[in-house]
Amino acid sequence: MTAYRPVLAVIGAGPAGLAAALAAAARGVRVVLIDSAAEAGGQFYRQPAHGLGARRPQALHHQWRTWERLRAGLGTHLAADRITHLSDRHVWCVERRSAGFTVHALVGPEQEESVAVRADGVLLATGGYEKVLPFPGWTLPGVVTAGGAQALLKGGLVLPGRTAVVAGTGPLLLPVATGLAAAGAQVVALVESAGPRDFTRRARTWSGAPAKLAEGALYAAQLLRHRVAVMVRHAVLEAHGIDRLASVTLAALDSEGRPVPGTERRIVCDTLAVGHGLLPHTDLAEGLGCRLDGSGVWVDDEQRTDVPGVWAAGETTGIGGSTLSLAEGHIAGRSAAARLAGTVPDPREWAAAARARTRLRSFFAALDAAYAARTVRWTEQVTDETVVCRCEEVTAGAVREAVGTLGAGDLRTVKLLTRAGMGWCQGRMCEPAVAGVAGCALTPARRLPARPVPLGVLAAPADPPAPQ
């Protein structure tokens, strides 16, 4: 009789999820890799649809050789039936049971049917999502998130416009600006609210990550080659247009993050790609009762959460880029394989990955501090007419009235009084904005389910057979 092999459900097929799946499968665990996209790779390695016939997809990517190794490894394990890849599966709940876990996922683009997967352990590699802060005109057609512009380019080979401004703050702006320029868009400005002094103060940290310095230098060279004007310590104040975006107004920032009077400048463009950093996806972890720390899901040295049988890796534990995600995924996959087999893992097996994890965590902590050093006083620029919750079309004025007139003192009360956060995204996208305008603390909310689910699915959830 064939010996039972434990089953590990890996949720998310980006860098962290792929590294974890390959590491676990290589050590005898049956891996079910569950992802919402049609192809593995996540946002970082997002692939064009096959029907587009892309001849040089590598031109849109960084670290393409790493992706080729991951893709080849996944193909090998798929052929050997060590990994089952379930694409187009949108996980809405992970249920703890007396003997393992049940992962519930909606199927396909319609998301009207749910399937379930039984597993002995769960590894969360759910990535992150963009933080976008509102400003007057941000709902105009032509204003997109920085990651959205990148996704259009990588996945659809589509430029969001011909004349673009890339603005906000954070390292994502660099690949977005260079990617759009290389694809043929005229990127007239890269507008970053942080300044050079915010980075030079941490020179010692940068010297410990030469590969990241080289990556930054490469982006700088590409911006120079495409003649992209880089405007540091600046911010977009307003987007203008009637039926769609026509121009933006930006200004220099003082040491307090306020616009400097007299520095306002208007730039003509048909696209504004804007982003203010990334936030970790923690909904599934919160639903399982995993502890969060200041950056994401808390994990130990083995990438284990405080919930037995649950691991987490990549951006869900804290934003840190693909290289850190790969290291964390490798460690998590090895640890899960050993623990599910009933053995104690040997940390020497992942010593190199652990050293990279330590170094990169330190680097990205300093990077976050540098970008946050000059916090934009963005709420002072948000007019009462500005929409802050797009799902429910709640304005900043309504939020301010809820606080100032009706006495709301926390996000939950603001939500009850204004409906901000009651729409399709359930506050996942607008919470930072609503909290900022309201002056309330941004406290994590435990959401069950983790995404909108049809009532019919909730009424008749699937009950899968136990693993064989």
Side-chain angles (χ1 to χ4, degrees), residues 104-425:
H104 299 277
L106 300 172
V107 181
E110 294 83 9
Q111 300 184 36
E112 295 178 351
E113 174 190 355
S114 186
V115 297
V117 174
R118 186 77 61 84
D120 300 289
V122 172
L123 197 154
L124 303 173
T126 48
Y129 62 99
E130 283 189 274
K131 176 182 178 181
V132 180
L133 302 176
F135 51 89
W138 76 298
T139 58
L140 279 170
V143 181
V144 297
T145 66
Q150 189 180 57
L152 282 172
L153 188 58
K154 286 184 175 181
L157 305 181
V158 173
L159 283 172
R162 301 303 305 178
T163 307
V165 171
V166 179
T169 191
L172 179 61
L173 301 187
L174 290 171
V176 171
T178 55
L180 290 175
Q186 180 187 3
V187 181
V188 293
L190 170 60
V191 184
E192 168 61 62
S193 62
R197 288 185 180 180
D198 303 322
F199 295 90
T200 55
R201 293 169 184 163
R202 298 167 176 83
R204 182 176 299 180
T205 301
W206 313 143
S207 63
K212 289 297 179 183
L213 284 179
E215 184 179 331
L218 177 61
Y219 285 132
Q222 290 174 332
L223 292 172
L224 184 63
R225 184 169 70 251
H226 292 290
R227 299 180 179 179
V228 177
V230 179
M231 308 180 72
V232 297
R233 294 181 60 182
H234 280 68
V236 169
L237 304 184
E238 186 172 358
H240 309 280
I242 300 176
D243 297 324
R244 63 166 292 113
L245 179 69
S247 63
V248 298
T249 294
L250 51 89
L253 302 175
D254 63 17
S255 59
E256 299 297 322
R258 292 187 174 91
V260 177
T263 65
E264 294 85 356
R265 177 180 174 185
R266 193 152 172 164
I267 296 180
V268 174
C269 60
D270 61 18
T271 301
L272 171 61
V274 62
H276 301 90
L278 300 173
L279 297 170
H281 264 302
T282 60
D283 287 349
L284 293 176
E286 291 171 56
L288 283 164
C290 299
R291 175 157 66 96
L292 306 183
D293 58 23
S295 57
V297 180
W298 177 90
V299 291
D300 66 7
D301 288 344
E302 294 183 29
Q303 300 293 139
R304 294 181 296 177
T305 72
D306 61 334
V307 176
V310 180
W311 287 256
E315 309 277 43
T316 192
T317 68
I319 305 303
S322 64
T323 307
L324 176 57
S325 294
L326 290 168
E328 291 188 354
H330 182 77
I331 294 168
R334 288 195 173 212
S335 169
R339 296 287 179 182
L340 292 178
T343 62
V344 177
D346 184 355
R348 291 175 297 183
E349 292 185 0
W350 61 70
R355 288 193 296 271
R357 178 180 62 184
T358 299
R359 183 176 66 253
L360 289 167
R361 282 180 176 174
S362 175
F363 174 86
F364 280 101
L367 195 66
D368 287 344
Y371 279 114
R374 196 170 306 278
T375 304
V376 180
R377 299 294 184 95
W378 61 273
T379 57
E380 299 174 9
Q381 309 305 315
V382 177
T383 63
D384 284 347
E385 295 75 27
T386 303
V387 171
V388 293
C389 170
R390 301 183 72 161
C391 294
E392 294 295 316
E393 298 184 346
V394 178
T395 64
V399 173
R400 288 169 177 149
E401 181 183 11
V403 175
T405 303
L406 303 178
D410 57 70
L411 270 182
R412 178 177 174 80
T413 307
V414 171
K415 180 177 181 178
L416 291 173
L417 292 173
T418 66
R419 294 192 58 82
M422 288 190 180
W424 180 262
C425 81

